[in-house]
Amino acid sequence: MFRAVFRLSATGARSLARSRACYTAPLASRCYSHGKVESDEEFDARWVTYFSKPDIDAWELRKGMNTLIGYDLVPEAKILESALRACRRLNDLASAVRILEAVKDKAGPHKDIYPYLIQELKPTLSELGISTPEELGIDKL
Amino acid sequence: MLHLIAARMGSLMARRAAVALTTSSARMASHGREVSETVDMSRPMYWDRLDTPLPDKAYKDELTAADKSLKQKEKGPWSQLTNEEKIALYRLMFNQTYPEMKQPRSEWKTIVGGIFIFMGFTGLVVWWQSLYVYPPRPRTFDDEWQAKQLQRILDMRMNPIEGFSSKWDYEKGQWK
């Protein structure tokens, strides 16, 4: 459900109000003319599974992250946790930090999303030893 | 920034053509002063983009021995890395951080300035044309001629019902 809050399209509140009925139920249908619509939970689950692949390779990580960042939403904490663990399997700390930077940028003017995500990811970050950009001081110029 | 100004002063059209090419080496080629390094676009390239957090390849290809040993250390627990090492790993992989990418630039000032310069130059050209190129002003534009023309229109009663002469009061000799 949080994904509905995180939806960042330019039409913003207007579209949210117009299609409010479409967001309430988990398996709600959106205003498409045809085709089964994926719910927020299904979307999240699909991406968590993608990054959870044990032998994920670097290309798949890059492709997944770039595609995910291309969507008009801020990924849920569980998707990011899965992606960060994939970075760990690939021994790539730099990409893990980059993912956190990208997510902060995705939140745009909604300044409260990123601190919330960091708070949710804190256990994972300390377990894997990933420093946030703020801790490394690279969030400033 | 100075690079751009120099290019603008030098050869504007060449710069326009060079801007179309994305690599900075191609821009240097338009100067003809430096040897241009060709970029092999058939291989994965690196770029800093906000919407592409993980580019096709790492920023630094050639790793020194120190870099390689750091990469080895990266395979172990990351909590054992110091902040400086983590930053070094980041900089090996990426060129600019997100804040660095989002830095405001002054390029727009050059562009707007260039626009105004061109518009000013065009104004000069137009003024010079009006002085040396245009034929003499037709006499039909003179105030005296225009007054006589107006009188003739009214005398001929042109468009007397709904148009021009209908607006003239012939008894009083003035506009209605």
Side-chain angles (χ1 to χ4, degrees):
Chain A
M1 277 324 295
F2 289 122
R3 241 187 65 197
V5 171
F6 292 157
R7 207 155 286 277
L8 298 167
S9 70
T11 49
R14 193 158 30 93
S15 76
L16 209 55
R18 183 167 23 95
S19 57
R20 193 180 298 282
C22 305
Y23 279 87
T24 45
L27 289 168
S29 62
R30 240 164 266 175
C31 311
Y32 298 160
S33 59
H34 67 282
K36 183 184 168 296
V37 165
E38 191 180 50
S39 71
D40 291 353
E41 289 74 17
E42 287 168 348
F43 176 88
D44 293 345
R46 191 161 54 86
W47 276 101
V48 168
T49 313
Y50 178 88
F51 285 117
S52 304
K53 188 171 152 206
D55 54 348
I56 193 172
D57 66 28
W59 184 92
E60 285 172 347
L61 172 69
R62 288 197 304 270
K63 173 68 180 168
M65 268 325 298
N66 292 339
T67 308
L68 192 59
I69 293 296
Y71 292 150
D72 181 22
L73 50 84
V74 181
E76 281 275 359
K78 50 179 176 297
I79 303 177
L80 296 173
E81 182 195 337
S82 184
L84 294 173
R85 289 190 186 280
C87 289
R88 175 65 267 192
R89 289 198 294 283
L90 289 163
N91 298 321
D92 193 350
L93 173 64
S95 294
V97 178
R98 188 74 153 187
I99 288 171
L100 295 176
E101 277 190 308
V103 150
K104 182 177 182 184
D105 180 57
K106 272 311 279 190
H110 304 266
K111 297 270 181 256
D112 46 351
I113 297 182
Y114 178 70
Y116 163 76
L117 282 172
I118 293 295
Q119 177 201 318
E120 291 291 306
L121 289 170
K122 247 298 157 247
T124 311
L125 293 176
S126 14
E127 179 197 331
L128 299 177
I130 301 173
S131 303
T132 66
E134 289 71 34
E135 287 165 7
L136 295 175
I138 58 175
D139 62 321
K140 305 275 177 292
L141 282 169
Chain B
M1 186 57 196
L2 285 170
H3 184 87
L4 286 171
I5 293 174
R8 182 160 55 78
M9 292 311 180
S11 156
L12 289 148
M13 296 316 292
R15 176 169 164 268
R16 286 249 174 76
V19 164
L21 302 163
T22 50
T23 61
S24 61
S25 62
R27 201 175 291 141
M28 284 184 188
S30 76
H31 289 173
R33 282 186 271 110
E34 288 129 21
V35 178
S36 62
E37 9 144 329
T38 49
V39 175
D40 185 358
M41 298 218 175
S42 65
R43 289 209 234 102
M45 292 176 70
Y46 175 86
W47 55 72
D48 284 307
R49 279 186 64 125
L50 294 174
D51 59 5
T52 312
L54 306 176
D56 292 346
K57 76 170 190 54
Y59 179 55
K60 288 224 171 64
D61 285 333
E62 300 95 23
L63 302 175
T64 67
D67 295 336
K68 286 185 185 149
S69 69
L70 189 56
K71 280 284 188 191
Q72 273 300 113
K73 199 175 173 193
E74 197 183 11
K75 293 182 182 168
W78 288 339
S79 38
Q80 287 175 0
L81 295 164
T82 66
N83 274 8
E84 286 74 27
E85 288 174 329
K86 290 181 182 177
I87 294 175
L89 283 167
Y90 184 93
R91 291 294 182 182
L92 279 178
M93 197 70 153
F94 305 111
N95 181 16
Q96 287 181 312
T97 67
Y98 266 65
E100 284 166 6
M101 273 191 253
K102 295 169 86 160
Q103 256 173 340
R105 297 180 303 173
S106 301
E107 192 184 4
W108 68 273
K109 294 175 192 163
T110 311
I111 307 239
V112 170
I115 289 173
F116 285 144
I117 285 175
F118 268 107
M119 287 168 67
F121 178 71
T122 306
L124 281 174
V125 168
V126 166
W127 166 79
W128 179 87
Q129 277 180 339
S130 69
L131 215 53
Y132 292 106
V133 175
Y134 290 1
R137 199 159 176 266
R139 57 186 173 157
T140 53
F141 281 90
D142 300 339
D143 288 335
E144 204 195 318
W145 186 287
Q146 292 269 325
K148 288 183 185 168
Q149 186 169 309
L150 173 56
Q151 186 58 55
R152 186 156 186 265
I153 290 171
L154 291 172
D155 291 343
M156 288 166 74
R157 307 285 203 269
M158 284 169 76
N159 299 325
I161 300 151
E162 300 248 346
F164 199 79
S165 300
S166 70
K167 304 285 186 277
W168 179 260
D169 189 341
Y170 284 95
E171 272 105 58
K172 292 194 197 137
Q174 65 187 26
W175 291 108
K176 286 183 186 166

